[in-house]
Amino acid sequence: MKALVLAGGAGVRLRPITHTSAKQLVPVANKPVLFYGLEAIAEAGITDVGIVVGATCQEIRQAVGDGSAFGLDVTYIPQDAPLGIAHAVLIARDFLGDDDFVMYLGDNFIIGGITGLVGAFRRQRPDAQILLTAVTDPTAFGVAELDGSGRVIRLEEKPPRPKSDLALVGVYLFTPAVHSAVRAIQPSRRGELEITDALQWLLDNGKDVRSTVVSGYWKDTGNVTDMLEVNRAVLETVEPCTDGSVDSDSEIIGRVSIAEGARIRGSRIVGPAIIGRGTTVADSYIGPSTSVAEDCHVHDSEIEFSIVLPGSSIRGVRRIEASLIGRAVDVAPASTTPRAHRFVLGDHSSARICS
């Protein structure tokens, strides 16, 4: 069995961060979200992985390499434009051959992995296996309609009037039957080859398409709100450790991971939180659900429920919350004083904050 990981796409909903970085490499608990998917694939016993890449190909290649760090053998499959999930299957035909495969969207996150799902698919081998979960706004997803016995009867991509609240999660399992489906369908009104249309083709042609409702935790990390929520959930599982230095004037409370080379001075950190290698926190408060990446500087500031990417500096800011701060960002006081601060700052940007 092989795996096909989708790591193309423009990441429009995460701009300006994704103007300069692949959305799949934005860190969750100081680790790129793509890495969690690759680890889940390896844990499921799959080693042969194709990664579909687009404009951020070089960045993905640099981060993942040949896959050996994950116990994988990685093949890169270029996609000239993001023309749909089914298009990714179409262009990966030579890599996939006649093998069964799991397709994993690189910006999706599933706590608990996919080992059980892959094992069940190997035993039962339906033509396709999809994951579903109830969502509050199904118009933003591919949606499945089930009959009274729980069988999939219809699928539709981003319907204006959904027939259910069951959205497709970004993990799919297929036999080679799907290759006929992706060749048979036409581009949708969005100009893309939709995987929902391919699944519907399989249903219309009498193929066995099964569904499983996800009982664990799933998020599409394509926007800032969901990225922060995934970060919060993962931090709840982080093992506390203090490999860096913490002075006697500092207070560490709860589940906090302080990496080697980090320095905490005169500060209070309340977990769950993670402080990256080489980062300095001085005279500051780091609140719950916060990840501060490597080589950052936080001085005389407060930050909570946020993600700070590598090399950024936050100085003299009274309060930051629910924020995603990019690489090499400089946040410092300005001449006036707003009541609160909330940011989505792109890499190498500079902000001046009144505090």
mmCIF file of all heavy atoms in Angstrom, residues 6 39 42-43 60 65 70 79 93-94 103 143-144 148 150 153 158 174 201 211 234 254 275 287 291 323:
data_model
loop_
_atom_site.group_PDB
_atom_site.id
_atom_site.type_symbol
_atom_site.label_atom_id
_atom_site.label_comp_id
_atom_site.label_asym_id
_atom_site.label_seq_id
_atom_site.Cartn_x
_atom_site.Cartn_y
_atom_site.Cartn_z
ATOM 1 N N LEU A 6 -0.943 15.430 -0.353
ATOM 2 C CA LEU A 6 -1.130 16.645 -1.133
ATOM 3 C C LEU A 6 -0.524 17.829 -0.380
ATOM 4 O O LEU A 6 -0.964 18.170 0.721
ATOM 5 C CB LEU A 6 -2.617 16.892 -1.397
ATOM 6 C CG LEU A 6 -3.190 16.183 -2.630
ATOM 7 C CD1 LEU A 6 -2.999 14.672 -2.553
ATOM 8 C CD2 LEU A 6 -4.666 16.505 -2.808
ATOM 9 N N GLU A 39 4.163 11.334 9.850
ATOM 10 C CA GLU A 39 4.375 10.416 10.969
ATOM 11 C C GLU A 39 3.218 9.422 11.094
ATOM 12 O O GLU A 39 3.429 8.234 11.384
ATOM 13 C CB GLU A 39 4.539 11.209 12.263
ATOM 14 C CG GLU A 39 5.869 11.968 12.326
ATOM 15 C CD GLU A 39 5.930 12.976 13.469
ATOM 16 O OE1 GLU A 39 4.902 13.155 14.161
ATOM 17 O OE2 GLU A 39 6.990 13.582 13.672
ATOM 18 N N ALA A 42 3.661 6.742 8.451
ATOM 19 C CA ALA A 42 4.707 5.789 8.829
ATOM 20 C C ALA A 42 4.234 4.849 9.933
ATOM 21 O O ALA A 42 4.510 3.638 9.895
ATOM 22 C CB ALA A 42 5.956 6.550 9.287
ATOM 23 N N GLU A 43 3.497 5.389 10.906
ATOM 24 C CA GLU A 43 2.981 4.560 11.999
ATOM 25 C C GLU A 43 1.988 3.519 11.493
ATOM 26 O O GLU A 43 1.827 2.453 12.101
ATOM 27 C CB GLU A 43 2.324 5.443 13.047
ATOM 28 C CG GLU A 43 3.317 6.270 13.865
ATOM 29 C CD GLU A 43 2.634 7.343 14.692
ATOM 30 O OE1 GLU A 43 1.377 7.384 14.689
ATOM 31 O OE2 GLU A 43 3.351 8.144 15.329
ATOM 32 N N ILE A 60 9.076 22.566 0.513
ATOM 33 C CA ILE A 60 8.640 21.250 0.982
ATOM 34 C C ILE A 60 9.789 20.249 0.884
ATOM 35 O O ILE A 60 10.051 19.477 1.814
ATOM 36 C CB ILE A 60 7.425 20.752 0.169
ATOM 37 C CG1 ILE A 60 6.219 21.691 0.318
ATOM 38 C CG2 ILE A 60 7.053 19.329 0.591
ATOM 39 C CD1 ILE A 60 5.578 21.710 1.666
ATOM 40 N N GLY A 65 12.956 16.369 2.697
ATOM 41 C CA GLY A 65 14.074 15.614 2.137
ATOM 42 C C GLY A 65 13.615 14.346 1.441
ATOM 43 O O GLY A 65 12.563 14.317 0.802
ATOM 44 N N PHE A 70 11.616 10.230 8.547
ATOM 45 C CA PHE A 70 10.317 9.717 8.992
ATOM 46 C C PHE A 70 10.199 8.205 8.781
ATOM 47 O O PHE A 70 9.144 7.626 9.045
ATOM 48 C CB PHE A 70 9.187 10.418 8.229
ATOM 49 C CG PHE A 70 9.215 11.913 8.317
ATOM 50 C CD1 PHE A 70 9.896 12.673 7.372
ATOM 51 C CD2 PHE A 70 8.574 12.576 9.357
ATOM 52 C CE1 PHE A 70 9.932 14.048 7.453
ATOM 53 C CE2 PHE A 70 8.602 13.949 9.445
ATOM 54 C CZ PHE A 70 9.290 14.688 8.493
ATOM 55 N N GLN A 79 2.840 19.436 -9.548
ATOM 56 C CA GLN A 79 1.521 19.804 -10.068
ATOM 57 C C GLN A 79 1.607 21.256 -10.520
ATOM 58 O O GLN A 79 1.869 22.154 -9.717
ATOM 59 C CB GLN A 79 0.447 19.629 -8.989
ATOM 60 C CG GLN A 79 -0.975 19.845 -9.477
ATOM 61 C CD GLN A 79 -2.001 19.670 -8.358
ATOM 62 O OE1 GLN A 79 -1.739 20.023 -7.214
ATOM 63 N NE2 GLN A 79 -3.169 19.128 -8.682
ATOM 64 N N ARG A 93 -0.598 8.898 -11.317
ATOM 65 C CA ARG A 93 -0.901 7.544 -11.800
ATOM 66 C C ARG A 93 0.337 6.666 -11.919
ATOM 67 O O ARG A 93 0.339 5.502 -11.488
ATOM 68 C CB ARG A 93 -1.609 7.617 -13.155
ATOM 69 C CG ARG A 93 -2.037 6.248 -13.711
ATOM 70 C CD ARG A 93 -3.151 5.677 -12.851
ATOM 71 N NE ARG A 93 -3.703 4.449 -13.407
ATOM 72 C CZ ARG A 93 -3.274 3.216 -13.140
ATOM 73 N NH1 ARG A 93 -2.243 3.042 -12.326
ATOM 74 N NH2 ARG A 93 -3.860 2.163 -13.669
ATOM 75 N N ASP A 94 1.411 7.213 -12.476
ATOM 76 C CA ASP A 94 2.617 6.401 -12.655
ATOM 77 C C ASP A 94 3.192 5.979 -11.306
ATOM 78 O O ASP A 94 3.648 4.841 -11.148
ATOM 79 C CB ASP A 94 3.665 7.173 -13.450
ATOM 80 C CG ASP A 94 3.291 7.317 -14.917
ATOM 81 O OD1 ASP A 94 2.396 6.571 -15.378
ATOM 82 O OD2 ASP A 94 3.884 8.172 -15.598
ATOM 83 N N MET A 103 -4.812 8.585 0.604
ATOM 84 C CA MET A 103 -4.541 9.969 0.206
ATOM 85 C C MET A 103 -4.764 10.869 1.422
ATOM 86 O O MET A 103 -5.823 10.815 2.060
ATOM 87 C CB MET A 103 -5.441 10.399 -0.950
ATOM 88 C CG MET A 103 -5.159 11.815 -1.422
ATOM 89 S SD MET A 103 -5.920 12.171 -3.019
ATOM 90 C CE MET A 103 -7.661 12.022 -2.612
ATOM 91 N N VAL A 143 -19.587 17.308 0.960
ATOM 92 C CA VAL A 143 -20.624 16.830 1.882
ATOM 93 C C VAL A 143 -21.163 15.482 1.398
ATOM 94 O O VAL A 143 -21.389 15.282 0.199
ATOM 95 C CB VAL A 143 -21.770 17.858 1.997
ATOM 96 C CG1 VAL A 143 -22.912 17.308 2.848
ATOM 97 C CG2 VAL A 143 -21.247 19.157 2.591
ATOM 98 N N ALA A 144 -21.368 14.577 2.347
ATOM 99 C CA ALA A 144 -21.915 13.254 2.038
ATOM 100 C C ALA A 144 -23.348 13.143 2.536
ATOM 101 O O ALA A 144 -23.674 13.623 3.627
ATOM 102 C CB ALA A 144 -21.062 12.163 2.676
ATOM 103 N N GLY A 148 -30.815 5.612 5.302
ATOM 104 C CA GLY A 148 -31.208 5.220 6.649
ATOM 105 C C GLY A 148 -30.309 4.183 7.282
ATOM 106 O O GLY A 148 -30.216 4.096 8.510
ATOM 107 N N GLY A 150 -27.038 4.129 6.764
ATOM 108 C CA GLY A 150 -25.687 4.670 6.867
ATOM 109 C C GLY A 150 -24.844 4.517 5.624
ATOM 110 O O GLY A 150 -23.655 4.845 5.642
ATOM 111 N N ILE A 153 -24.922 7.649 -0.335
ATOM 112 C CA ILE A 153 -25.724 7.650 -1.563
ATOM 113 C C ILE A 153 -25.404 8.831 -2.471
ATOM 114 O O ILE A 153 -25.669 8.793 -3.668
ATOM 115 C CB ILE A 153 -27.238 7.621 -1.258
ATOM 116 C CG1 ILE A 153 -27.645 8.788 -0.362
ATOM 117 C CG2 ILE A 153 -27.637 6.296 -0.630
ATOM 118 C CD1 ILE A 153 -29.155 8.895 -0.163
ATOM 119 N N LYS A 158 -18.963 21.528 -1.724
ATOM 120 C CA LYS A 158 -19.358 22.871 -1.290
ATOM 121 C C LYS A 158 -20.775 23.231 -1.766
ATOM 122 O O LYS A 158 -20.985 24.239 -2.450
ATOM 123 C CB LYS A 158 -18.351 23.908 -1.772
ATOM 124 C CG LYS A 158 -16.960 23.732 -1.149
ATOM 125 C CD LYS A 158 -15.995 24.787 -1.659
ATOM 126 C CE LYS A 158 -14.656 24.708 -0.940
ATOM 127 N NZ LYS A 158 -13.962 23.424 -1.115
ATOM 128 N N PHE A 174 -8.202 4.258 -1.262
ATOM 129 C CA PHE A 174 -8.693 3.821 -2.563
ATOM 130 C C PHE A 174 -8.004 2.543 -3.020
ATOM 131 O O PHE A 174 -6.819 2.309 -2.729
ATOM 132 C CB PHE A 174 -8.412 4.888 -3.625
ATOM 133 C CG PHE A 174 -9.171 6.176 -3.448
ATOM 134 C CD1 PHE A 174 -8.498 7.328 -3.064
ATOM 135 C CD2 PHE A 174 -10.537 6.246 -3.669
ATOM 136 C CE1 PHE A 174 -9.175 8.524 -2.915
ATOM 137 C CE2 PHE A 174 -11.224 7.433 -3.520
ATOM 138 C CZ PHE A 174 -10.543 8.571 -3.146
ATOM 139 N N TRP A 201 -18.920 9.175 -9.052
ATOM 140 C CA TRP A 201 -18.813 8.304 -10.234
ATOM 141 C C TRP A 201 -18.687 6.847 -9.802
ATOM 142 O O TRP A 201 -19.306 5.958 -10.411
ATOM 143 C CB TRP A 201 -17.600 8.719 -11.069
ATOM 144 C CG TRP A 201 -17.481 8.001 -12.379
ATOM 145 C CD1 TRP A 201 -17.950 8.410 -13.587
ATOM 146 C CD2 TRP A 201 -16.842 6.723 -12.600
ATOM 147 N NE1 TRP A 201 -17.653 7.475 -14.563
ATOM 148 C CE2 TRP A 201 -16.973 6.426 -13.978
ATOM 149 C CE3 TRP A 201 -16.192 5.812 -11.779
ATOM 150 C CZ2 TRP A 201 -16.469 5.261 -14.542
ATOM 151 C CZ3 TRP A 201 -15.689 4.635 -12.330
ATOM 152 C CH2 TRP A 201 -15.821 4.375 -13.704
ATOM 153 N N SER A 211 -18.102 4.639 4.364
ATOM 154 C CA SER A 211 -17.773 5.826 5.161
ATOM 155 C C SER A 211 -17.613 5.451 6.623
ATOM 156 O O SER A 211 -18.218 4.491 7.106
ATOM 157 C CB SER A 211 -18.868 6.888 5.018
ATOM 158 O OG SER A 211 -20.086 6.440 5.597
ATOM 159 N N VAL A 234 -2.956 20.085 20.406
ATOM 160 C CA VAL A 234 -1.694 19.339 20.435
ATOM 161 C C VAL A 234 -0.893 19.671 21.687
ATOM 162 O O VAL A 234 -0.275 18.793 22.299
ATOM 163 C CB VAL A 234 -0.869 19.627 19.168
ATOM 164 C CG1 VAL A 234 0.487 18.935 19.243
ATOM 165 C CG2 VAL A 234 -1.618 19.145 17.930
ATOM 166 N N GLY A 254 2.082 24.066 35.148
ATOM 167 C CA GLY A 254 1.363 23.163 34.251
ATOM 168 C C GLY A 254 2.254 22.524 33.204
ATOM 169 O O GLY A 254 3.462 22.384 33.366
ATOM 170 N N ILE A 275 8.237 26.344 24.403
ATOM 171 C CA ILE A 275 9.231 27.376 24.109
ATOM 172 C C ILE A 275 10.363 26.719 23.337
ATOM 173 O O ILE A 275 10.963 25.742 23.792
ATOM 174 C CB ILE A 275 9.778 28.021 25.402
ATOM 175 C CG1 ILE A 275 8.641 28.475 26.315
ATOM 176 C CG2 ILE A 275 10.713 29.175 25.061
ATOM 177 C CD1 ILE A 275 7.726 29.527 25.740
ATOM 178 N N GLY A 287 1.045 32.703 28.251
ATOM 179 C CA GLY A 287 -0.154 32.045 28.740
ATOM 180 C C GLY A 287 -0.458 30.737 28.034
ATOM 181 O O GLY A 287 0.269 30.307 27.124
ATOM 182 N N SER A 291 2.584 28.617 21.472
ATOM 183 C CA SER A 291 3.823 28.042 20.968
ATOM 184 C C SER A 291 4.739 29.174 20.534
ATOM 185 O O SER A 291 4.358 29.992 19.694
ATOM 186 C CB SER A 291 3.552 27.140 19.761
ATOM 187 O OG SER A 291 2.762 26.038 20.110
ATOM 188 N N SER A 323 -3.335 35.087 18.085
ATOM 189 C CA SER A 323 -2.548 35.651 16.994
ATOM 190 C C SER A 323 -1.613 34.612 16.383
ATOM 191 O O SER A 323 -1.145 33.699 17.065
ATOM 192 C CB SER A 323 -1.720 36.836 17.502
ATOM 193 O OG SER A 323 -2.564 37.865 17.982
#
